[in-house]
Amino acid sequence: MTDLDALARRLRAELGPDQVITDRQELRTYECDGLAHYRVVPAIVALPHTAAQTAAVVKACVEARVPFVARGSGTGLSGGALPHADGVLIVTAQMRRILGVAPEDERAVVEPGVINLQVTRAATPHGYYYAPDPSSQQICSIGGNVAENSGGAHCLKYGFTTNHVTGLQFVAPDGNLVRIGGRAEDPPGYDLLGAFVGSEGTLGIATEVTVRLTRLPESVRTLLAAFPGVDQAGAATSAIIAAGVVPAAIEMMDALAIEAAEAAVACGYPAGAGAVLIVELDGPAAEVAAQFDQVTALCEQSGAFEIRIAADDAERALFWKGRKSAFAAVGRISPDYIVQDGVIPRTALPQVLRKIDDLAAENGVRVANVFHAGDGNLHPLVLFDDGVPGEAERAEATSGAIIDLCIEYGGSITGEHGVGADKAKYMPRMFGDDDLDTMQLLRCAFDPDGLANPGKIFPTPRLCGERPGRHRAADAFPDAEVF
Amino acid sequence: MTDLDALARRLRAELGPDQVITDRQELRTYECDGLAHYRVVPAIVALPHTAAQTAAVVKACVEARVPFVARGSGTGLSGGALPHADGVLIVTAQMRRILGVAPEDERAVVEPGVINLQVTRAATPHGYYYAPDPSSQQICSIGGNVAENSGGAHCLKYGFTTNHVTGLQFVAPDGNLVRIGGRAEDPPGYDLLGAFVGSEGTLGIATEVTVRLTRLPESVRTLLAAFPGVDQAGAATSAIIAAGVVPAAIEMMDALAIEAAEAAVACGYPAGAGAVLIVELDGPAAEVAAQFDQVTALCEQSGAFEIRIAADDAERALFWKGRKSAFAAVGRISPDYIVQDGVIPRTALPQVLRKIDDLAAENGVRVANVFHAGDGNLHPLVLFDDGVPGEAERAEATSGAIIDLCIEYGGSITGEHGVGADKAKYMPRMFGDDDLDTMQLLRCAFDPDGLANPGKIFPTPRLCGERPGRHRAADAFPDAEVF
């Protein structure tokens, strides 16, 4: 019996036989997350039903020195939940109870497998909702959102997952159950909550999440503005923010993205648009009404040739349908595509979009742009045909060069999809050795054996502590004792 | 020559002779911060002018194995900057340049010694301000605010310091200069920024702070509502929040606090009030006007017998003068007092205030209540006369019992003053061993020798790593290798 066989037997004994998968065919279901071009079949899949079972799985892994990877709904786009071939994939999807909704404290407590949209559904009868809204909100889980610090269209005004989690119970990489934060804001001691949210499974596995609920706005108004091109739409975005208006969302789509959306869902956007903006305002009715007029005027002044105002929820839904289907829709106009995710300062939008155009032309590929314009979070879709020799490579090169552009303009290699397996290689382009070493200090403190989601986030699998012939992680403290 | 003499000589050589203090009389200036009942004269005071000099001081301390404590303006109320008798006090007050104001990115970059209010002064010409506003904002420094995660009256709407810092350069406890965060939101990798802000000097010393600037509101309106007692004022607070209104501030003062403020600054609050609320709304004029009517109505419904609306900036300043002078003002009605700082869920305000009354009666002391009602952040002032035998002890007991009440009601041992030297003893009442051990993991990763502000935050000076006969910090990982 191999060590992994022994581990599987132990897990079956602790969890029950139907909560542990080792059949090769069944394991293949879990070989990738939303980033399907990385595929690894895990050795074992465990499906714990409780926090205690999750802790038991991690403890068993630690004792067997087997790596483990957590997975929620598997919708991540950076390969953060990519399994380890010799490891255990811990699927949190079975932990899907909403443990409590406390509108008087503006909090809900949920298990990690609860679907993002379910939190909003549970809160709505009380006049509240859960603000972070990834496009995948109908299927992605809160545990995955916590791991990746997920964003969404409305994060411009409301912030990311990290701004909406106030407490966590999690299984630390040694198998202990720990609580950090709580219902109240800013408890004393170190704020480990911020470090945990977005740590992509490398500091542990969340087993209970306390989230902030946001009051449903009194009023929501949405407009769709059509511009001759992205320059004018970018200028309108800057003008709106510069005027001190903070819309709930400002989303941009360029001509190619509009073409794809029309082909897929016939959203009926204005003909001849080189770019459209969807601007949504929410809040007290008096505020929204006053600011809506301001936004409309600024779009006109920036060159909008048509502005439509959603008359009702149905029209509002139609505006969003084109935007929300855009990623999938590019399948209508290209056999293959890469979704990139980068951030630039809002003020650099026109220059960067022009440079992306240049890059696409140089490499002979097309790039459709669909993005959160308000916070400079680009989602260029690099289109290619895998059947044409060399195109995939040119698309990959273009996608990588876009990340270089983001860094060059003072932005970031990821806005909301995370680093995962996909972007670990870019981390040294954004951070110096001292910066990465400082992050590594935290990782090593929590996971000295490097068993929690190894190979994610950090470019090289650096090891903690002094081991002969291996890299020492604690370079940041050259004079300190080995620890 | 002792080790400390040698260290002082080295610091003089590196910084310049006038930047190092060892004269006993001069050292006494630094023996306490704003919490004056703890006093320790440091062995050496260093006054670095730059980040590089700060790093040099820390490196020298590490090599000499001498503890170091950072101090900004020395206004802290929990003894976080209390010196170490055999250590170096590193005063950051000389680093007071504003390095840049970038309204287009809504950011300012400042040195740690810059005074809180100076950031707002630098931003105002551009239409912005710095939102966190401790009562000491005319003298407290940004570096101190970062260390203590300082709050203020307007944190109800705008959040604490941690919500307004997006990037830091700091000297790690090994003497290396490190950068975390930046101008943009949520960079990839671990969010160490959240852990650093509020770490009270135990993870390093900030040498450059990038802060978020907030747009000056179009409109500000302030009312003063007088109630028969704190029950009605508490009910009004709950009613305002429950209505979905988020005022910039909701401040409460009880009868004793009003009496003190009147004696000190003649603020002319309505006669016969058992409690007053100051409610301030800011934002777009349309929103403020609509919500102001709502707040006025809710105060009346909750039992306000007089509501005054500030007609101009002068009247608004008068409303605030009573509130802001309240701490100092109790000196008019009592020879001695303790300022307590605790948090309770807003909904528990009436019960807790009643229990504080009971406690005061049992212990034969008076308690004046002045606090941030909107976020449940109490500041009970326990009055006593040190000349009366036993009164100081009874006041201390009352103050401690109030913290027990806060914990019992699901709140926190500190809202905004920090743990420091004063409240380390309460940490085990709020956190379990596993929670504290988890925090200790981070501390040990950054500061394995325990030289950075030892004795603060954590109840017992636990040591990192395995040393014969000493306590092992890594209890959370009983099976892990010694690190």
Side-chain angles (χ1 to χ4, degrees):
Chain A
M1 194 164 69
T2 69
D3 288 354
L4 284 167
D5 289 339
L7 178 58
R9 176 177 293 200
R10 173 170 170 185
L11 294 179
R12 282 206 175 85
E14 300 219 28
L15 270 61
D18 55 336
Q19 290 174 243
V20 180
I21 297 170
T22 51
D23 175 79
R24 186 79 189 167
Q25 207 48 44
E26 287 181 65
L27 289 173
R28 290 194 71 87
T29 313
Y30 298 97
E31 69 183 358
C32 68
D33 60 11
L35 186 72
H37 64 269
Y38 290 94
R39 289 171 194 269
V40 174
V41 178
I44 300 171
V45 168
L47 299 148
H49 288 184
T50 62
Q53 286 190 346
T54 310
V57 175
V58 171
K59 264 203 200 308
C61 288
V62 170
E63 283 170 28
R65 302 187 87 78
V66 166
F68 55 88
V69 176
R71 173 189 164 111
S73 298
T75 54
L77 290 169
S78 60
L82 185 73
H84 192 289
D86 301 312
V88 177
L89 186 74
I90 303 174
V91 178
T92 59
Q94 304 300 316
M95 293 185 274
R96 53 188 172 204
R97 288 178 303 161
I98 292 177
L99 301 170
V101 176
E104 70 285 5
D105 285 335
E106 305 193 321
R107 295 287 183 273
V109 183
V110 304
E111 290 188 333
V114 169
I115 301 304
N116 175 298
L117 198 59
Q118 296 295 346
V119 183
T120 286
R121 292 223 172 104
T124 301
H126 306 282
Y128 285 86
Y129 74 112
Y130 178 62
D133 60 339
S135 295
S136 56
Q137 69 182 131
Q138 301 196 17
I139 41 170
C140 66
S141 71
I142 294 294
N145 292 176
V146 167
E148 299 296 328
N149 187 20
S150 302
H154 292 79
C155 290
L156 170 61
K157 180 170 181 179
Y158 293 102
F160 288 74
T161 300
T162 193
N163 305 114
H164 296 269
V165 173
T166 67
L168 280 173
Q169 181 197 55
F170 69 98
V171 180
D174 65 341
N176 279 344
L177 271 173
V178 179
R179 283 191 181 276
I180 50 178
R183 288 198 179 194
E185 308 278 333
D186 291 316
Y190 298 138
D191 174 14
L192 291 167
L193 210 52
F196 190 93
V197 177
S199 64
E200 307 195 11
T202 63
L203 299 181
I205 303 173
T207 47
E208 187 189 296
V209 186
T210 303
V211 299
R212 185 192 308 286
L213 298 176
T214 302
R215 191 106 184 158
L216 284 166
E218 186 191 347
S219 166
V220 181
R221 294 192 69 184
T222 312
L223 68 76
L224 180 80
F227 295 85
V230 292
D231 274 16
Q232 294 86 348
T237 303
S238 291
I240 292 165
I241 300 291
V245 177
V246 183
I250 309 183
E251 299 286 306
M252 200 194 295
M253 294 167 70
D254 70 3
L256 199 53
I258 297 168
E259 181 192 332
E262 290 294 349
V265 298
C267 43
Y269 286 175
V276 296
L277 282 187
I278 298 173
V279 185
E280 190 158 280
L281 294 170
D282 67 11
E287 173 188 354
V288 169
Q291 294 194 336
F292 202 76
D293 294 343
Q294 211 180 341
V295 167
T296 308
L298 290 168
C299 284
E300 278 167 1
Q301 285 159 29
S302 302
F305 64 83
E306 184 175 342
I307 294 177
R308 293 187 194 163
I309 295 164
D312 50 29
D313 283 352
E315 195 172 1
R316 180 179 166 229
L318 193 64
F319 289 178
W320 278 108
K321 192 175 180 190
R323 166 64 187 87
K324 293 213 168 178
S325 65
F327 282 15
V330 294
R332 298 291 184 117
I333 58 166
S334 174
D336 303 288
Y337 64 95
I338 300 168
V339 182
Q340 191 45 283
D341 167 47
V343 182
I344 53 168
R346 203 161 36 221
T347 41
L349 267 178
Q351 302 99 289
V352 172
L353 290 175
R354 224 167 295 137
K355 290 207 171 182
I356 291 178
D357 256 4
D358 296 345
L359 276 173
E362 280 165 32
N363 288 303
V365 294
R366 293 182 300 164
V367 177
N369 284 293
V370 185
F371 58 97
H372 310 314
D375 36 26
N377 185 185
L378 306 178
H379 288 311
L381 297 150
V382 185
L383 314 186
F384 68 100
D385 182 349
D386 211 10
V388 178
E391 252 196 32
E393 289 71 22
R394 283 183 280 126
E396 187 64 50
T398 307
S399 182
I402 290 172
I403 288 302
D404 286 334
L405 267 183
C406 291
I407 297 169
E408 185 191 327
Y409 277 85
S412 165
I413 62 174
T414 169
E416 53 186 11
H417 295 175
V419 179
D422 192 36
K423 292 190 167 171
K425 61 180 177 290
Y426 297 129
M427 288 287 275
R429 295 201 217 165
M430 187 157 172
F431 296 102
D433 281 350
D434 282 352
D435 301 328
L436 289 172
D437 283 342
T438 304
M439 293 183 199
Q440 197 70 13
L441 287 177
L442 181 63
R443 181 172 193 162
C444 289
F446 275 76
D447 182 25
D449 296 324
L451 298 176
N453 212 6
K456 312 296 165 65
I457 305 183
F458 297 106
T460 41
R462 309 181 83 174
L463 295 161
C464 304
E466 194 79 74
R467 292 175 200 202
R470 287 182 169 173
H471 200 109
R472 182 162 174 248
D475 287 336
F477 296 112
D479 302 318
E481 289 176 54
V482 178
F483 63 96
Chain B
M1 193 163 70
T2 70
D3 289 353
L4 284 167
D5 289 340
L7 178 59
R9 178 178 294 201
R10 172 171 171 184
L11 294 179
R12 283 205 175 85
E14 300 218 28
L15 271 60
D18 55 335
Q19 290 173 243
V20 179
I21 298 170
T22 51
D23 175 80
R24 187 81 189 165
Q25 207 48 43
E26 287 180 64
L27 289 173
R28 290 194 71 86
T29 314
Y30 297 96
E31 68 183 358
C32 67
D33 59 12
L35 186 72
H37 64 270
Y38 290 94
R39 289 171 194 266
V40 175
V41 178
I44 301 172
V45 168
L47 299 148
H49 288 184
T50 63
Q53 286 190 347
T54 310
V57 175
V58 171
K59 264 203 200 307
C61 288
V62 170
E63 283 169 29
R65 302 187 87 79
V66 166
F68 54 90
V69 176
R71 173 189 164 111
S73 298
T75 54
L77 290 169
S78 61
L82 185 73
H84 192 288
D86 301 314
V88 177
L89 186 74
I90 303 176
V91 178
T92 59
Q94 303 301 314
M95 293 185 274
R96 53 188 172 204
R97 287 178 303 162
I98 291 177
L99 301 171
V101 176
E104 70 285 4
D105 286 334
E106 305 194 321
R107 296 288 183 273
V109 183
V110 304
E111 290 187 333
V114 169
I115 301 304
N116 175 297
L117 198 59
Q118 296 294 346
V119 184
T120 287
R121 293 223 172 103
T124 301
H126 305 282
Y128 285 85
Y129 73 112
Y130 178 63
D133 61 339
S135 295
S136 56
Q137 69 183 132
Q138 301 196 19
I139 41 169
C140 66
S141 70
I142 294 294
N145 292 175
V146 167
E148 298 296 328
N149 187 21
S150 302
H154 293 79
C155 291
L156 169 60
K157 180 170 180 177
Y158 293 102
F160 288 74
T161 300
T162 193
N163 304 114
H164 296 269
V165 172
T166 67
L168 280 173
Q169 181 197 53
F170 69 99
V171 179
D174 65 342
N176 281 343
L177 272 173
V178 179
R179 283 191 181 275
I180 49 178
R183 287 197 179 195
E185 308 279 332
D186 291 317
Y190 298 138
D191 175 14
L192 291 168
L193 209 53
F196 190 93
V197 177
S199 64
E200 307 195 11
T202 63
L203 300 181
I205 303 173
T207 48
E208 187 190 295
V209 186
T210 302
V211 299
R212 186 192 308 284
L213 298 176
T214 302
R215 191 106 183 161
L216 284 165
E218 186 191 349
S219 167
V220 180
R221 296 191 71 183
T222 312
L223 67 75
L224 180 80
F227 296 84
V230 291
D231 273 15
Q232 294 87 346
T237 303
S238 291
I240 291 166
I241 300 290
V245 177
V246 183
I250 309 183
E251 300 286 306
M252 199 193 296
M253 294 167 70
D254 71 4
L256 200 52
I258 297 168
E259 180 191 333
E262 290 293 349
V265 298
C267 43
Y269 286 174
V276 296
L277 281 187
I278 297 173
V279 184
E280 189 158 281
L281 293 171
D282 67 11
E287 172 187 351
V288 169
Q291 294 193 335
F292 201 77
D293 293 345
Q294 209 179 343
V295 167
T296 308
L298 290 168
C299 284
E300 279 167 0
Q301 286 159 27
S302 303
F305 65 81
E306 184 174 342
I307 294 177
R308 292 185 194 164
I309 295 164
D312 51 28
D313 283 352
E315 195 171 2
R316 180 179 165 228
L318 193 64
F319 288 179
W320 278 107
K321 193 175 179 186
R323 165 63 186 87
K324 294 211 168 180
S325 65
F327 282 15
V330 295
R332 298 291 185 116
I333 59 167
S334 174
D336 303 288
Y337 63 96
I338 299 168
V339 181
Q340 191 46 282
D341 168 45
V343 181
I344 53 167
R346 203 162 37 221
T347 41
L349 267 177
Q351 300 100 290
V352 173
L353 290 175
R354 225 166 295 135
K355 290 207 171 181
I356 291 177
D357 256 7
D358 295 347
L359 276 173
E362 281 165 30
N363 288 301
V365 294
R366 292 182 302 164
V367 177
N369 285 293
V370 184
F371 58 96
H372 309 314
D375 37 24
N377 185 185
L378 306 177
H379 286 313
L381 296 150
V382 185
L383 314 185
F384 67 100
D385 182 347
D386 211 11
V388 178
E391 250 194 35
E393 290 71 22
R394 283 183 280 123
E396 186 64 51
T398 308
S399 182
I402 290 172
I403 287 302
D404 287 334
L405 267 184
C406 291
I407 297 170
E408 184 191 328
Y409 278 84
S412 164
I413 61 173
T414 169
E416 53 187 10
H417 296 175
V419 179
D422 192 36
K423 291 189 168 173
K425 60 181 178 288
Y426 297 129
M427 288 288 275
R429 294 202 217 164
M430 186 156 172
F431 296 102
D433 280 350
D434 282 352
D435 301 328
L436 290 171
D437 282 343
T438 305
M439 293 182 199
Q440 197 70 13
L441 286 177
L442 181 63
R443 180 171 194 161
C444 289
F446 274 75
D447 182 24
D449 296 324
L451 298 176
N453 211 8
K456 312 296 164 64
I457 305 182
F458 298 105
T460 42
R462 309 181 82 175
L463 295 162
C464 305
E466 194 81 72
R467 292 173 200 202
R470 286 181 170 176
H471 198 109
R472 181 160 175 251
D475 288 336
F477 296 113
D479 303 315
E481 289 175 55
V482 178
F483 64 96

